[in-house]
Structure formats: structure tokens, C-alpha cells
């Protein structure tokens, strides 16, 4: 299993500012995933972060808006840059681990962001 | 048409009822089919996943996939108030060499005593 913590748990920010969200895992993992969960919308994958290489972004998400760092195998950050009210969402970090018979996915508790 | 359709509910049932949660999808390239449970103000929790058509059972939960109809279901037997949560379905398919998920919007389930 994996235990994931995120900081901050919530924040209220002004438009035009940036917020960096931290994700810490209690075990080493190759890939870490960042998701967005907008109110009333589906959970959406933003990007995949590998240690030692640039993150891979999904359609509709770009590095300038959502820069990601992955300095080691247990930690990653997601920055939401130049925020607008449309960025108000829950941001979630996730990992997959290899179990004895199948792989498992774990999510952090999420960071609830409100942009005014 | 969205790639994954899921009725948001809420679905309200009495304790002990059998619950049926469903999703339809349009992309026949999806390969893995997953169900998550999300309690209020918590991250999603992966309940079950299947690779092919058929049934998979885990305790009170049964996942069913019908690829020919592009329809998946999650059944909860003997439902409990602690099952009250939002249930998300997700389909995983390959894009750019990696598996990428497409989630439904989630169905809110309320099990009342």
C-alpha cells in the first residue's frame, strides 16, 4: 500500500497568483500522477511525473500553466500558475504500487483550491 | 457525446438493498474498467478493476463488464450506511504509449438506516 499526504489541504488565492501543491508518498514510486477534480466534473488526469525527466502532460494541460517537479522517488510538486477562477478545483496526487497479485492505485486527500 | 456517461444521482436506498451503479462508454479501445469510491472531502479509493468482459467479485461488491454493449456495472449487496459515498467509474485506454483514464462524473449513493 501507499500513504500519500498533500500540502496545503486547502487554500484561497487571488487571481494572477501561483500556488505550489506538495505531494509526499511513504514509499518510493516510479511515477506520480496529478489529477484535477472540478466541481460537478469528471476527475481528469493533468500529467504524469517521472523522477529525473520532464513530466508528460495530457491534452489541454501545458507546462507553463502547471509546472511539475519530481526531485526524488517520494515527492512531487504541482504549481498552478497565473490562476483564474476557472482553476478553482480539487487537485489530487496519485500513485500505483505493485501488489502480490495485482497493482493498486492510491490517491492523496486532495488540495481544495478556490481562486477569487 | 461524452466518452463515459454516468448518472450523477443521488441514488437513495434502504440499508440491506442491492445497489446497481452503471456507466456506459463510447470508445471501444478502452481496456481496463475500474470503480472507485470517494467519501466526502477525501481522495478516491480504488475498489475493483477488470480487464475483460465478465464478472469479478470481491466481498459484497461485484463488477460486471459487457464490452459488446459498452456497459459496466457495480453491484453492492447488503448495502450499509457506510457505503454512502460517490462512486466513480473509469475506463483506461492506451494513448501515446501509456494507459490514460477517462472518468465518469460519479454517482452519489445514499444508504439510509
Amino acid at each position: 500500500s501507499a500513504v500519500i499526504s498533500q500540502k496545503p489541504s486547502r487554500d484561497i488565492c487571488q487571481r494572477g497568483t501561483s500556488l505550489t501543491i506538495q505531494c509526499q508518498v511513504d514509499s518510493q514510486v516510479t511515477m506520480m500522477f496529478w489529477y484535477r477534480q472540478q466541481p460537478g466534473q469528471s476527475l481528469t488526469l493533468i500529467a504524469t511525473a517521472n523522477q529525473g525527466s520532464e513530466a508528460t502532460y495530457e491534452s489541454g494541460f501545458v507546462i507553463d500553466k502547471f509546472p511539475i517537479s519530481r526531485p526524488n522517488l517520494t515527492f512531487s510538486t504541482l504549481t498552478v500558475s497565473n490562476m483564474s477562477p476557472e482553476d478553482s478545483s480539487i487537485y489530487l496526487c496519485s500513485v500505483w504500487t505493485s501488489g502480490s497479485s495485482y497493482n493498486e492505485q492510491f490517491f492523496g486527500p486532495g488540495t481544495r483550491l478556490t481562486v477569487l | 457525446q461524452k466518452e463515459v456517461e454516468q448518472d450523477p444521482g443521488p441514488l437513495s436506498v434502504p440499508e440491506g438493498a442491492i445497489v446497481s451503479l452503471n456507466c456506459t462508454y463510447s470508445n471501444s479501445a478502452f481496456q481496463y474498467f475500474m470503480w472507485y469510491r470517494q467519501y466526502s472531502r477525501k481522495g478516491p479509493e480504488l475498489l475493483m478493476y477488470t480487464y475483460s468482459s465478465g464478472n469479478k467479485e470481491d466481498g459484497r461488491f461485484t463488477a460486471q463488464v459487457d464490452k459488446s454493449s459498452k456497459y459496466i456495472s457495480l453491484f453492492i449487496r447488503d448495502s450499509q450506511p457506510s457505503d454512502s459515498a460517490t462512486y466513480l467509474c473509469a475506463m483506461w485506454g492506451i494513448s501515446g504509449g501509456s494507459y490514460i483514464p477517462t472518468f465518469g462524473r460519479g454517482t452519489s449513493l445514499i444508504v439510509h438506516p
Side-chain angles (χ1 to χ4, degrees):
Chain A
S1 67
V3 177
I4 303 173
S5 59
Q6 288 185 234
K7 288 182 182 179
S9 58
R10 61 187 348 180
D11 208 341
I12 300 174
C13 302
Q14 297 296 320
R15 68 168 66 216
T17 63
S18 298
L19 176 72
T20 295
I21 302 168
Q22 299 179 7
C23 176
Q24 179 75 51
V25 189
D26 69 343
S27 58
Q28 294 185 340
V29 292
T30 304
M31 292 189 289
M32 296 176 75
F33 302 85
W34 287 98
Y35 287 81
R36 180 173 72 182
Q37 191 171 32
Q38 292 179 303
Q41 302 297 317
S42 312
L43 193 61
T44 304
L45 179 63
I46 298 171
T48 303
N50 289 325
Q51 195 264 338
S53 64
E54 275 198 10
T56 302
Y57 290 83
E58 297 308 314
S59 176
F61 299 98
V62 295
I63 188 171
D64 290 346
K65 176 67 175 176
F66 297 101
I68 288 172
S69 78
R70 183 77 202 275
N72 58 53
L73 291 174
T74 64
F75 187 80
S76 178
T77 67
L78 170 76
T79 298
V80 187
S81 303
N82 188 25
M83 290 184 286
S84 66
E86 292 71 36
D87 295 319
S88 296
S89 184
I90 299 172
Y91 292 86
L92 294 147
C93 174
S94 175
V95 303
W96 282 85
T97 63
S98 298
S100 56
S101 56
Y102 54 88
N103 296 332
E104 296 183 85
Q105 183 180 21
F106 298 91
F107 283 87
T111 294
R112 186 177 295 268
L113 170 63
T114 301
V115 184
L116 302 178
Chain B
Q1 180 190 13
K2 290 187 180 297
E3 278 197 291
V4 177
E5 298 277 3
Q6 184 176 13
D7 188 332
L11 177 63
S12 182
V13 301
E15 182 175 355
I18 296 175
V19 175
S20 173
L21 303 165
N22 311 295
C23 288
T24 59
Y25 62 95
S26 57
N27 187 347
S28 58
F30 289 137
Q31 297 183 13
Y32 287 90
F33 306 89
M34 302 190 176
W35 286 97
Y36 301 78
R37 178 175 62 196
Q38 186 172 24
Y39 292 113
S40 180
R41 300 188 179 275
K42 301 287 187 183
E45 170 194 3
L46 179 61
L47 288 175
M48 303 176 68
Y49 67 92
T50 56
Y51 177 70
S52 59
S53 287
N55 293 354
K56 182 176 182 180
E57 189 173 319
D58 184 0
R60 296 185 295 112
F61 297 88
T62 299
Q64 190 173 78
V65 175
D66 182 346
K67 281 189 170 182
S68 62
S69 300
K70 298 188 179 67
Y71 189 89
I72 72 169
S73 300
L74 178 70
F75 298 97
I76 307 174
R77 290 184 299 280
D78 187 25
S79 57
Q80 303 295 310
S82 58
D83 294 327
S84 299
T86 296
Y87 290 80
L88 308 171
C89 65
M91 325 292 179
W92 290 66
I94 290 181
S95 176
S98 301
Y99 278 99
I100 303 300
T102 302
F103 283 81
R105 292 190 179 190
T107 299
S108 175
L109 172 66
I110 301 168
V111 181
H112 50 87

